[in-house]
Amino acid sequence: MSFGLENLPYGVIAPAGGAPRCAVRYGDHAIDLDALARAGRLPHLPAGVFAGPVLNPFLTLGRGAWRETRARLAEILAAGHAELIPLHEAEARLPVAVGDYVDFYASLEHATNLGRMFRPGAEPLLPNWRRLPVGYHGRAGTVVVSGTPIARPWGQRPSFGPSAALDVELELGVVTGGPGNALGEPIPVAAAAEHIFGFVLVNDWSARDLQRFEYEPLGPFLGKSFATSISAWITPLEALEPHRVAAPPQDPEPLPYLRADGDWALDIDLEIELNGTVVSRTNARGLYWTFPQQLAHATVNGATARAGDLYASGTISGAERGSEGSLIELTRAGEEPLELPGGRRTYLEDGDTVVLRGAARDVSLGEVSGTVRAAGSTPGGQR
Amino acid sequence: MSFGLENLPYGVIAPAGGAPRCAVRYGDHAIDLDALARAGRLPHLPAGVFAGPVLNPFLTLGRGAWRETRARLAEILAAGHAELIPLHEAEARLPVAVGDYVDFYASLEHATNLGRMFRPGAEPLLPNWRRLPVGYHGRAGTVVVSGTPIARPWGQRPSFGPSAALDVELELGVVTGGPGNALGEPIPVAAAAEHIFGFVLVNDWSARDLQRFEYEPLGPFLGKSFATSISAWITPLEALEPHRVAAPPQDPEPLPYLRADGDWALDIDLEIELNGTVVSRTNARGLYWTFPQQLAHATVNGATARAGDLYASGTISGAERGSEGSLIELTRAGEEPLELPGGRRTYLEDGDTVVLRGAARDVSLGEVSGTVRAAGSTPGGQR
């Protein structure tokens, strides 16, 4: 069975006409966690921790509480002692109130591909890239759950109009948890895992034409901030422990604050489906910078990480053709369009549906989907 | 009297040993807004709107409720019918839970100065600068209230160590309010003011050495994310209405979505005080891009603006020597150090205190202060 006891991801569902409730997924069903807690089945947890519309209070509790909850849920489910809500009778909601959203640039292949396209003729990797996990802040308020329609964004391309280069980015994201760190107190790389609650799939929708005109010198802004989709279910780190593998070698050796013991790459198969056709297959294990390195770097200056923050990997691209994590790479900036049953594509057209999927063998991360809708009427102020 | 009836800014205070409470400032006193509401003195507001530890619920109500509240508070205070809490008996807290924090780059003089220093020999303004308000997302979770000590950040300069180029940035920030816009529905520039609750002073602390090494191609990250300080009291837009003046001419004429009617520059005198000496005096009226333009641009792609988001102007620099809004500009990247009574300064040293102040004649924006403390012990992971 998919989404069996080895998985047990957390999310938030709204049964038809009902209020959103925290839930755990088991097969094609969800279990209402607040109902379990109110029935006294999760006595180790503080009262009301699942009573709200998001998982954040649970995320603050830390690894001990998460482990114990996972063990109890497995017992309850194995014994068949829980009311199962069919997923098709409920709507998925955004599982966390996202505090801050950081997006890294951790794939060597992606950074190289983009560097070639955005800065032709120059060295594709800038001097900082192999020294630190390059990243930036995205917009937390426009992180949306899988299934949310994506309106084509207006902007300066540099002429003003709806983006004509709407793209996807296939990413993995960490949702942080635990008590967090105090301002001014970095999270050591060895302790980073204690701050990782779990993982989601991320589609970092990108309007390449807007991005290209605006991004110097302060980075991407409107080219990214219109929407970022995440999968509905957060797969706990515990479920992915058996799928930790060695990361690629790093050259030069990272500074001590970025040296993590143990294997921290994740053997997760990933794919992009566009209008029903899989157009890319890759694996997260090839990411150059690991998630503990990303988190240690993001806090080395003393910045805090709060429960419910989202740290995404950046686009995950492999080295081979057909393993790139974005359309700009898959089509070589439009020079080699994708031939699909429904028609040729470089960038996304209105009505297109993109589904990203991920699975570490029997531990599925589910999917994150989105359909492009036409740009709205001319933004106000046009005369 | 400073902070008289023409001002009435909102904030959050914690009286000694007490819980944080929403408050309005009047002279050197604060009035507990929840106490007023519970006493039936603000009957036009929903019950409990001031009961929490932040102003966000009030911010969602919109201009009508803000106007009515302001009128009632003025009546209550003029009649002497409120319990006054001396400010020295209470601690200022962060007045809002910041949703997203965007930082613009709206001063022509600042962008020109920085362009010359970061990209010597090249045209200082990039082609996008006069076409749109360049901006990026900062870290909402490290926005702190005036008075919070600022730990010197560690990072790659590119050698690893505490920043040796810690700087300030003198800015104004908008705190948004109202019901917000739906995802995919831009805020027209003509309606932007309806989404502006009020203004704060912002010190966007910047580690120039970290920033310089990391910022290409995705923009500033750790060089900024360690802390951003805001003033404790949010001055409502209503209080600044009499101080709206014409903004500088824009060339080329902005696109229609950025064309605002009316005068939208703010005649606010600003200063930077370093260890007791005023080192810069400028005025916000010289900002090239206005706040309504910034907000219209930030949402033209359909991104939402929520109540409690912070949109800062970017460093406000004037054209004359002594009117620059950062030390890197005031000292010409260290070539012309500041001679202060306590010693010469290029960048900040441990123990230095910076106070930013702002006032539109009799409407004071108060101050935002911060003292630099030494970097903590070597971040974990060092061996």
Side-chain angles (χ1 to χ4, degrees), chain A residues 37-114:
Chain A
R38 280 186 283 106
R41 313 284 292 282
L42 302 169
H44 63 293
L45 293 177
V49 75
F50 288 125
V54 286
L55 290 165
N56 297 60
F58 178 60
L59 298 192
T60 63
L61 299 179
R63 177 86 42 217
W66 305 334
R67 280 222 179 88
E68 174 79 8
T69 304
R70 184 169 166 81
R72 291 201 173 239
L73 290 174
E75 279 171 26
I76 292 167
L77 290 166
H81 289 159
E83 190 192 342
L84 300 175
I85 304 164
L87 286 182
H88 65 81
E89 292 179 8
E91 201 174 272
R93 296 291 174 89
L94 194 66
V96 292
V98 178
D100 272 294
Y101 162 42
V102 168
D103 197 23
F104 285 97
Y105 198 47
S107 158
L108 178 70
E109 292 76 13
H110 172 68
T112 305
N113 290 340
L114 266 277

Side-chain angles (χ1 to χ4, degrees), chain A residues 98-105 119 126-129 131-142 144 148-156 158-160 183-190 210-227 255-261 297-306 309 311 373 376-377 379-383, chain B residues 98-105 119 126-129 131-142 144 148-156 158-160 183-190 210-227 255-261 297-306 309 311 373 376-377 379-383:
Chain A
V98 178
D100 272 294
Y101 162 42
V102 168
D103 197 23
F104 285 97
Y105 198 47
R119 291 176 300 281
L126 292 168
N128 55 22
W129 199 90
R131 305 277 171 174
L132 53 80
V134 170
Y136 72 105
H137 286 90
R139 188 162 186 83
T142 51
V144 297
T148 305
I150 305 300
R152 181 179 298 277
W154 288 82
Q156 299 195 36
S159 69
F160 187 71
L183 189 68
E185 303 287 339
I187 295 175
V189 67
L210 277 55
Q211 181 184 355
R212 192 183 286 263
F213 184 59
E214 76 183 354
Y215 89 104
E216 288 180 300
L218 299 183
F221 185 37
L222 299 196
K224 303 276 195 173
S225 66
F226 55 98
L255 285 168
Y257 84 90
L258 293 171
R259 277 179 216 156
D261 291 326
H297 181 65
T299 65
V300 72
N301 68 346
T304 46
R306 297 175 291 180
D309 285 346
Y311 295 83
R373 64 176 173 81
S377 55
Q382 296 281 355
R383 318 170 201 207
Chain B
V98 179
D100 272 295
Y101 162 41
V102 168
D103 198 22
F104 285 97
Y105 198 47
R119 292 176 299 280
L126 293 168
N128 54 22
W129 199 91
R131 305 277 171 175
L132 51 82
V134 170
Y136 72 107
H137 285 90
R139 188 161 186 83
T142 52
V144 297
T148 305
I150 304 301
R152 182 179 298 276
W154 288 82
Q156 299 195 36
S159 69
F160 187 70
L183 190 68
E185 302 288 341
I187 294 175
V189 67
L210 278 56
Q211 181 185 354
R212 191 183 286 263
F213 185 59
E214 77 183 354
Y215 88 102
E216 288 181 299
L218 299 184
F221 185 38
L222 299 196
K224 304 275 196 173
S225 66
F226 55 98
L255 285 168
Y257 83 92
L258 293 171
R259 277 180 216 155
D261 291 327
H297 182 65
T299 64
V300 72
N301 68 346
T304 46
R306 298 176 289 179
D309 285 347
Y311 295 82
R373 64 176 174 81
S377 55
Q382 296 282 356
R383 324 168 199 206

Side-chain angles (χ1 to χ4, degrees), chain B residues 75-98:
Chain B
E75 278 171 25
I76 293 168
L77 289 165
H81 290 160
E83 190 191 343
L84 300 175
I85 305 164
L87 285 182
H88 65 81
E89 291 179 9
E91 202 174 89
R93 295 292 174 85
L94 194 66
V96 291
V98 179

Side-chain angles (χ1 to χ4, degrees), chain B residues 254-279:
Chain B
L255 285 168
Y257 83 92
L258 293 171
R259 277 180 216 155
D261 291 327
D263 291 337
W264 276 107
L266 295 172
D267 185 11
I268 299 176
D269 286 319
L270 299 162
E271 65 178 36
I272 304 175
E273 184 187 282
L274 172 53
N275 296 336
T277 301
V278 173
V279 297

